[in-house]
Amino acid sequence: MIPLKTFVSERRAANLLQQVRWRDGVYCPRCRAESVIRYGSYRVFQRYRCKNCDRTFNDQTGTVFEHSAVELRKWFLAVYTYIRFNTSLRQLDVEIDVSYKTVYRRVQRFLRALDAPQPQLEGPVEIDELYVKTGLKGRERDRPSRSRGLSTRGRGSYEQDKLPVFILADRGTGDRYVIPAKAADESTIRLLLADRKEESLTVYTDGFRAYEPLDEDDAFDREYVVHGDGEYADGDVHVNTCESHGSLARSWLSPHRGVSKAKLTPYLRAFQLRRRVYRKPGKEALKTIPKTAL
């Protein structure tokens, strides 16, 4: 269910922000001191005064929602529908009656505040990669614009405007990670697999040559299938989970009609968040979404 009451009432939205932000107790966002007292109100938000630095602040101070004349309930609606339903910013512009430029800047600010994924691998782990066509969208270029579509086939790199995005599926925990990289090479793969709970990690891959050095490393037990030979699964050995998750990531990116290199990482973090809240009830999802950016 969509938590409509929160989107209708500014007071309810303010109470939700207060509940989520100060879940571990109120502290001063400037000096981090916990010696604070209530000090009146600012609009519908609780105001506080820090006894340590004698500065005042409210529930919005230091968050991605501060310094905005737009009501908080509208921003909650914007980020909720964007993450939950992949709603376009043009549609949000219409729904919340705020200019496209304002919506774009606030949503981008929210996306930049999302935490980077921190894989803690238990294993076995599937790892695969997909390649996303990117460019210098919205930036000054020192080269002519390339033709739309970038018809180059096969794998690519940052310099070739075709960024590799690695998909990791940890079968031990059920977690999945979507992490962009500048190149699909051995050093990147080792870095992605570095944070693991066991000394020896079972890794399932395809036949891509960048994974071959793992065969000679005692820290990894690599098993693989060769898609070029028509082999896609051999018992437990496959990367089908990664490929399925990768197709969902492509669908998530498709409404953007082209992705900038600078924006790909925030968009994929939003996709990761969307997968976390996908099956949660509306109220729980609404609490989780702003919590990740506070």
Side-chain angles (χ1 to χ4, degrees), residues 5-280:
K5 292 182 179 179
T6 303
F7 302 138
V8 172
S9 168
E10 184 73 355
R11 175 69 66 181
R12 285 178 179 269
N15 290 341
L16 177 61
L17 177 63
Q18 184 183 57
Q19 178 185 351
V20 171
R21 184 175 189 190
W22 308 123
R23 57 191 180 276
D24 297 323
V26 183
Y27 60 88
C28 177
R30 296 183 176 89
C31 69
R32 318 301 289 184
E34 297 181 359
S35 55
V36 299
I37 59 173
R38 292 176 180 267
Y39 196 68
S41 61
Y42 169 70
R43 298 193 302 195
V44 297
F45 303 102
Q46 177 63 52
R47 193 174 179 220
Y48 308 90
R49 183 172 70 84
C50 176
K51 291 183 177 181
N52 184 54
C53 65
D54 204 35
R55 301 286 293 274
T56 62
F57 61 96
N58 61 69
D59 294 328
Q60 278 190 311
T61 305
T63 72
V64 297
F65 305 111
E66 71 172 341
H67 300 150
S68 175
V70 179
E71 294 172 294
L72 178 64
R73 64 184 181 86
K74 290 188 176 183
W75 289 134
F76 273 178
L77 176 61
V79 297
Y80 178 85
T81 54
Y82 176 79
I83 295 296
R84 198 77 188 263
F85 308 116
N86 201 12
T87 307
S88 72
L89 300 188
R90 290 290 182 190
Q91 184 64 32
L92 289 176
D93 164 17
V94 175
E95 296 295 339
I96 67 176
D97 194 24
V98 176
S99 72
Y100 172 80
K101 184 179 291 187
T102 301
V103 173
Y104 174 83
R105 288 175 176 172
R106 191 63 56 165
V107 170
Q108 287 296 324
R109 185 175 177 181
F110 173 81
L111 296 182
R112 289 194 298 270
L114 296 178
D115 293 332
Q118 301 290 336
Q120 294 290 328
L121 303 176
E122 183 176 303
V125 174
E126 296 177 33
I127 181 170
D128 196 16
E129 75 286 341
L130 60 88
Y131 296 84
V132 179
K133 298 172 185 177
T134 57
L136 300 176
K137 187 178 178 182
R139 292 191 169 193
E140 293 184 4
R141 295 183 288 266
D142 56 359
R143 65 182 185 189
S145 298
R146 60 173 169 79
S147 60
R148 187 170 181 85
L150 188 64
S151 58
T152 306
R153 299 184 63 184
R155 295 181 170 88
S157 65
Y158 184 91
E159 291 74 17
Q160 296 169 328
D161 291 346
K162 204 170 183 181
L163 264 68
V165 176
F166 283 90
I167 315 291
L168 286 80
D170 190 340
R171 295 186 186 177
T173 62
D175 293 330
R176 298 166 190 178
Y177 306 95
V178 183
I179 305 174
K182 287 193 172 182
D185 54 20
E186 178 189 351
S187 60
T188 301
I189 293 168
R190 288 186 179 277
L191 184 62
L192 292 172
L193 299 175
D195 293 329
R196 54 185 183 272
K197 296 181 180 180
E198 302 293 337
E199 291 186 7
S200 180
L201 182 68
T202 300
V203 181
Y204 300 134
T205 76
D206 58 16
F208 181 32
R209 285 179 294 179
Y211 299 116
E212 291 179 358
L214 300 181
D215 292 333
E216 303 172 2
D217 193 332
D218 293 337
F220 302 101
D221 178 17
R222 179 195 176 221
E223 299 185 56
Y224 61 95
V225 290
V226 182
H227 293 168
D229 295 340
E231 185 181 23
Y232 294 93
D234 183 8
D236 290 336
V237 183
H238 61 78
V239 290
N240 295 341
T241 309
C242 291
E243 292 180 349
S244 174
H245 205 62
S247 68
L248 294 174
R250 287 190 184 279
S251 297
W252 172 265
L253 294 172
S254 62
H256 296 290
R257 306 291 183 182
V259 181
S260 166
K261 293 178 181 179
K263 299 292 193 302
L264 179 61
T265 296
Y267 288 152
L268 290 177
R269 289 181 184 176
F271 169 73
Q272 190 105 345
L273 175 57
R274 197 248 180 177
R275 302 308 301 175
R276 283 177 54 193
V277 303
Y278 181 65
R279 297 188 182 278
K280 289 186 177 182

